Amino acid sequence: MLTKWGSTRRRTVVAALLGAGALLATTGPAAVADPGAVSRDVYVSPAGSDHAPGTAARPVRTLDRARDLVRQRTPHLTRDLTVHLAPGVFRLAAPLRLDARDSGGNGHRVIWQGSGDTELNGGVRVTGWRPVAGRPGLFAAPAPAGLDNTRQLYVDGVREQRARGPLPVTVKATATGYTASADTLAHWRNPKDVEFVYTAGEALWNIQRDGLGQWTEPRCPLAAAEGTTITMAQPCWDNSTKRVLFPEIPGRSVNMVGPADLTNGRHPTYAENAFELLDTPGEWYLDRSAHAVYYLPRPGQDLRRADVEVPVLEKLLDAKGTAAAPIHDVAFRGLRYSYATWLTPSSPEGFSEIQAGYTITGAGGWAVQGLCQFVPGGTCPYASWTREPANVAVSHGQRIEFADSVFAHLGGAGLDLLDGTKESQVRGGVFTDISGNGVQIGGVGKPLTDTDADVVRDVQVTDNHLYGLPREFHGGVPVVNGYTVRNTIAHNQIDHVGYSAISVGWGGWPDKIKRPATPNLSHDNVVSDNLIFDYMLMLDDGGGVYTQGITGSSLDDGEKVTGNVIHGQWGLGKGVYTDNGNTYETIRGNVLYDMAYANVGTVHVDYRDDLGNNDPTLIEGNYWEQGDRDKTDKGAITRGNQLLARPADAPPAIVANAGLEPAYRKLLTRQVGGRAPAEAPSRVGTFAVSGRLYATWNPTFAFNNAPVREYVVTATGGGRTYQAAISAADFAKRAYAEVPGLTDGTAYTVTVAARNASGTSEPSLPAAPVTPGPKPGVLPGAPTNARALPSSTAASIRWNPPAAAGDTPVLGYVITVSDGRTIAVEGRDTLVTQPTVKGMTRVVDGLEPATAYTFTVAAITATGTGPAATFTATTQ
């Protein structure tokens, strides 16, 4: 009888078939009478066996075996099929590769369900540590089998610093690399493993601004060091230092991104990945020629007991459908994706960054890649440079879900949702400790397509916490969205990141040569209700929400940026940045404050017509410090915005709604990785006057589960060391520290370390030396373009830094009000706006309606207070 197949005997037979790898019957009476037989869940455990049937009592061991069992059961699903992954570490020998055969069906899903403590691990453990003779404190271990190269090492869940330091020689750039002042590098163990790093950011004090634009940090390996000749790896060197120039447009490169003259960007900020640079606890080095790993432990670390992990795989999960056969109806829940690397930057390709992790690649790439119609042989479409790959990827996926996930300890980008991804979700996840971008949605290689198959649309990235990234490729962005349709990026919290928080769109740069942005298929994308703070903590010229290019066909279907709360911007840029060719963006109902330069900007000319109009943009109903009046500026509309006198005055409904929704706020207390001292601060700058020096730096944004409490500034010179400490809170307000008691005529070198509950970080790279001594006493000039934009009870005070700064940099300003008040102005914007004379903003509240006021603003330097600019305004 058919009913007898529900007996124990039947279950035993089926289990035996599964254990032997046989296919379940999909025809005949049994398949019809007992449909549950083809929907039975699969169980996987690191302690299981691939000879087991995959039941709860007898789980399989590997994800590949679980996938194969799922393939046997998916053609006739009658309910969701769940792959239950037990807690623990699944060490992958290869990526888990899925395709259309691994899809759900008949309206049901395949769910890969972890416990929250289920880790997909692409690394190997390093064991067998022994002290290195003649090097006190240094340990070495054999490189594990299968480890040829890696760019990361972790101790007890904490990313450690690959050995780095200042160049031990001075260098002068040549056509193929550098001429050094001595042959030091030629005598290093493995010169070809050495990498030069070029950190950009705005010019400030004596900080050397390298790189190819304020938003980039290229990296190039060495090809050779022979005598004093340093030859850089190709094609990285050419792709990072050469550009095609428009013959008819002097000084403008054809790629239109960043400077045309890259001479200044050729100076290395520091060197990385050399045994000879191992000099600070927490640094490591993989000697590939000797098959040995070296590590200098931090105080308290015991390598006999520590879990030391090095990533080997470059991909953990690759769910790859095709246009004809997409992978669909698959969910990944409760999984941790950890310990993967990305090795292309270690190859001769290096990392020739253009923007947001996109690079120029290939021999001669600088001359043709993405230059399309602008040069003979240019590859199309325009601006289609090489994207940074992710360690977890989906392409041509439909109804794919990532929920309750942790993406951490990763060496590329975190998650790719590539061509053809549709109706998919990323929600309730944590993204941290990632080398590059966090989530990448869509691409920029297909701005237009005749078929829907390759379009990325209807993707939702919601209720995720993204923080403490990027850790290696510092121009990376937590959420990057390319040419896409109807995507929603909402209710995320993004904090403590090195550059922009969200980037949308591409291909707008042709407006620099008075041509239209690249036509593209994007429309109806939404960035809403996100909480973004403490961003642009390392690089500059970005924003909380950065957009460029055409976002739709009208304001109705263009990009919507609504209900976001954005504050605490450190670098020079804008809260909501409408950059090159940005068209049809609506910016409505956001709360924007505490930014260096502007809350919203900038309007560009619309070169799609010959009317001289601006790109259509609507800036409406925001609460901001900018205070701009209502106006229609040749198609760009500003109306109904409210001056925000104090952050506490922001509408409670907007503030309460921004960021993680209540059900997801537990993510904010979820610890990822171990507790340890924070990462070192970056970009230290100094200047000196008689008897003291001033130091500024970019603050730490990766603090290893113990927030930074204070910074320690160390000045070394004349055989003596001086230290000064400043709390993290005071530094956030002031943006600089003083070191007094120094000797005039003595050169001092400054480093800065961050201190948290777990200890003190390694010191930063040193600032260029400075020598205290008397100054001529030249005061700064008066601020320029000073004005007040009042509401009824407050005024937005706007000015530009003095054109003549005096003999020391501006440290702050003082505003006086005719009602007798004096208001001190300090912060990072007071420092970083000066070199390129960018605007300053402060709001003065407590004013009486319909009252005339006189204001003054004057610059303060280490020499004194300069003359004031005076201006008047009447409240409404």
Side-chain angles (χ1 to χ4, degrees):
M1 298 292 292
L2 294 177
T3 55
K4 290 182 179 179
W5 284 93
S7 66
T8 301
R9 177 177 177 273
R10 178 193 174 279
R11 291 194 295 269
T12 302
V13 171
V14 172
L17 288 171
L18 287 175
L23 291 174
L24 284 173
T26 56
T27 60
V32 175
D34 191 4
V38 294
S39 297
R40 184 173 298 133
D41 290 351
V42 175
Y43 291 80
V44 199
S45 169
S49 168
D50 280 354
H51 297 291
T55 62
R58 298 181 60 200
V60 297
R61 184 178 64 83
T62 67
L63 304 186
D64 284 354
R65 180 58 181 151
R67 175 202 59 200
D68 293 343
L69 293 179
V70 169
R71 286 180 178 175
Q72 297 170 8
R73 307 176 188 198
T74 52
H76 294 276
L77 290 182
T78 57
R79 60 176 175 84
D80 290 351
L81 189 159
T82 300
V83 182
H84 300 270
L85 288 88
V89 176
F90 289 86
R91 291 193 178 273
L92 306 183
L96 174 61
R97 302 188 187 279
L98 305 178
D99 58 34
R101 294 171 292 173
D102 305 297
S103 303
N106 304 320
H108 303 288
R109 295 167 295 179
V110 173
I111 302 170
W112 293 75
Q113 179 68 62
S115 68
D117 290 320
T118 302
E119 179 178 279
L120 307 192
N121 184 312
V124 293
R125 293 191 67 180
V126 184
T127 59
W129 293 96
R130 296 288 186 272
V132 175
R135 284 291 304 271
L138 184 64
F139 283 73
L147 177 64
D148 176 63
N149 200 3
T150 191
R151 296 181 61 87
Q152 297 85 28
L153 178 142
Y154 301 83
V155 179
D156 292 330
V158 175
R159 180 184 295 234
E160 304 294 357
Q161 175 62 55
R162 195 164 66 151
R164 67 172 183 173
L167 269 65
V169 294
T170 58
V171 293
K172 182 178 180 181
T174 66
T176 58
Y178 300 93
T179 300
S181 58
D183 64 352
T184 307
L185 269 66
H187 298 288
W188 282 8
R189 282 193 183 189
N190 299 299
K192 290 184 179 181
D193 285 347
V194 177
E195 196 166 280
F196 284 177
V197 183
Y198 305 82
T199 306
E202 287 288 343
L204 182 62
W205 297 6
N206 66 345
I207 295 174
Q208 174 70 47
R209 188 179 78 176
D210 304 310
L212 310 178
Q214 298 94 312
W215 56 91
T216 64
E217 190 182 57
R219 293 167 169 262
C220 275
L222 274 60
E226 300 171 341
T228 59
T229 299
I230 298 172
T231 304
M232 300 301 292
Q234 294 286 14
C236 186
W237 178 248
D238 281 353
N239 288 339
S240 298
T241 62
K242 291 184 177 181
R243 293 292 181 267
V244 183
L245 301 183
F246 282 110
E248 71 277 17
I249 310 174
R252 174 60 64 194
S253 65
V254 175
N255 72 17
M256 295 168 262
V257 185
D261 181 3
L262 303 182
T263 303
N264 292 333
R266 297 185 185 193
H267 183 275
T269 309
Y270 61 93
E272 188 170 292
N273 198 37
F275 176 83
E276 290 74 13
L277 298 174
L278 270 173
D279 58 6
T280 304
E283 289 188 331
W284 65 277
Y285 172 67
L286 171 62
D287 189 333
R288 300 173 63 197
S289 62
H291 303 287
V293 183
Y294 293 89
Y295 179 63
L296 197 57
R298 298 176 184 268
Q301 287 180 330
D302 184 351
L303 295 181
R304 295 172 300 177
R305 297 179 175 85
D307 175 23
V308 181
E309 303 268 355
V310 290
V312 175
L313 297 185
E314 296 186 74
K315 194 82 72 178
L316 299 173
L317 168 62
D318 195 9
K320 185 178 293 185
T322 66
I327 182 172
H328 58 87
D329 298 292
V330 182
F332 304 93
R333 299 174 180 171
L335 301 176
R336 291 175 176 248
Y337 305 91
S338 300
Y339 302 117
T341 190
W342 176 41
L343 296 178
T344 296
S346 296
S347 76
E349 285 284 2
F351 188 73
S352 300
E353 186 175 28
I354 284 284
Q355 186 165 314
Y358 280 83
T359 58
I360 298 177
T361 56
W366 64 276
V368 296
Q369 189 177 20
L371 302 187
C372 201
Q373 70 270 29
F374 297 114
V375 297
T379 61
C380 293
Y382 168 70
S384 179
W385 296 298
T386 303
R387 69 180 292 126
E388 175 184 278
N391 297 130
V392 177
V394 176
S395 58
H396 290 103
Q398 297 178 9
R399 296 176 298 283
I400 307 297
E401 173 193 310
F402 289 88
D404 188 26
S405 309
V406 174
F407 292 79
H409 312 328
L410 299 177
L415 173 63
D416 257 337
L417 302 176
L418 293 165
D419 290 352
T421 302
K422 296 174 173 60
E423 301 171 28
S424 297
Q425 298 181 355
V426 182
R427 72 170 187 276
V430 172
F431 293 77
T432 189
D433 189 21
I434 297 170
S435 287
N437 296 326
V439 184
Q440 300 182 145
I441 315 165
V444 301
K446 298 178 181 178
L448 295 171
T449 178
D450 295 330
T451 173
D452 180 63
D454 290 335
V455 175
V456 175
R457 59 170 172 81
D458 300 299
V459 172
Q460 297 183 2
V461 178
T462 59
D463 286 298
N464 301 284
H465 187 200
L466 305 99
Y467 69 98
L469 71 147
R471 294 294 302 273
E472 185 176 2
F473 310 112
H474 292 118
V477 180
V479 182
V480 178
N481 186 92
Y483 298 130
T484 64
V485 173
R486 291 195 302 271
N487 288 348
T488 299
I489 303 167
H491 286 293
N492 302 287
Q493 178 169 314
I494 304 176
D495 61 270
H496 294 91
V497 295
Y499 179 53
S500 296
I502 297 172
S503 180
V504 182
W506 203 252
W509 294 285
D511 76 350
K512 293 180 181 295
I513 58 169
K514 299 183 178 181
R515 298 191 191 182
T518 301
N520 69 79
L521 53 80
S522 295
H523 64 83
D524 289 296
N525 290 307
V526 174
V527 180
S528 67
D529 307 309
N530 299 285
L531 174 59
I532 298 169
F533 62 93
D534 290 342
Y535 63 99
M536 288 176 63
L537 294 180
M538 185 170 180
L539 299 181
D540 294 274
D541 198 12
V545 178
Y546 172 94
T547 304
Q548 67 153 285
I550 302 170
T551 72
S553 60
S554 68
L555 283 171
D556 289 337
D557 71 357
E559 179 185 343
K560 305 294 187 298
V561 178
T562 63
N564 302 284
V565 175
I566 305 174
H567 65 90
Q569 174 185 298
W570 189 261
L572 191 63
K574 292 105 177 179
V576 179
Y577 196 159
T578 59
D579 204 7
N580 301 110
N582 180 267
T583 308
Y584 298 130
E585 181 172 340
T586 296
I587 304 162
R588 178 185 291 125
N590 303 282
V591 173
L592 310 168
Y593 61 93
D594 189 17
M595 285 147 196
Y597 188 22
N599 297 148
V600 178
T602 312
V603 172
H604 294 263
V605 175
D606 186 351
Y607 291 106
R608 296 171 305 160
D609 58 42
D610 297 321
L611 304 178
N613 288 329
N614 290 322
D615 285 316
T617 306
L618 176 60
I619 305 168
E620 179 180 52
N622 300 286
Y623 297 82
W624 61 357
E625 297 176 323
Q626 196 160 313
D628 289 359
R629 297 282 183 249
D630 288 2
K631 63 179 178 180
T632 298
D633 184 9
K634 298 179 180 180
I637 302 168
T638 301
R639 69 188 180 201
N641 300 286
Q642 301 295 314
L643 184 61
L644 186 64
R646 298 172 299 167
D649 294 339
I654 296 178
V655 174
N657 191 51
L660 300 175
E661 295 177 282
Y664 295 93
R665 289 175 187 166
K666 61 185 179 182
L667 294 178
L668 301 179
T669 59
R670 186 170 189 175
Q671 181 174 318
V672 177
R675 288 184 176 270
E679 188 177 53
S682 62
R683 302 193 74 233
V684 180
T686 55
F687 75 88
V689 296
S690 182
R692 67 188 188 278
L693 62 77
Y694 295 80
T696 187
W697 57 90
N698 285 68
T700 295
F701 57 87
F703 42 77
N704 295 323
N705 296 300
V708 175
R709 293 176 174 176
E710 67 176 2
Y711 294 96
V712 180
V713 183
T714 300
T716 303
R720 300 184 63 185
T721 296
Y722 302 80
Q723 285 192 330
I726 182 171
S727 72
D730 286 345
F731 179 70
K733 294 176 183 177
R734 181 195 279 186
Y736 68 89
E738 296 181 50
V739 182
L742 306 182
T743 302
D744 287 355
T746 297
Y748 292 89
T749 300
V750 168
T751 61
V752 182
R755 184 172 289 161
N756 65 10
S758 297
T760 303
S761 76
E762 66 172 331
S764 68
L765 295 166
V770 291
T771 302
K775 296 293 183 183
V778 178
L779 292 172
T784 61
N785 198 28
R787 61 206 185 278
L789 302 175
S791 66
S792 60
T793 60
S796 176
I797 308 300
R798 309 278 295 278
W799 70 93
N800 288 350
D807 55 13
T808 61
V810 171
L811 295 172
Y813 296 89
V814 59
I815 297 172
T816 65
V817 188
S818 54
D819 60 12
R821 285 183 288 167
T822 299
I823 300 168
V825 176
E826 56 187 0
R828 179 66 166 195
D829 58 340
T830 65
L831 312 183
V832 76
T833 54
Q834 184 187 343
T836 50
V837 194
K838 293 293 193 297
M840 289 284 302
T841 302
R842 285 298 185 275
V843 177
V844 175
D845 64 353
L847 304 180
E848 296 293 330
T851 302
Y853 287 90
T854 298
F855 304 90
T856 70
V857 59
I860 301 171
T861 68
T863 302
T865 302
T870 302
F871 47 102
T872 62
T874 300
T875 53
Q876 298 172 5

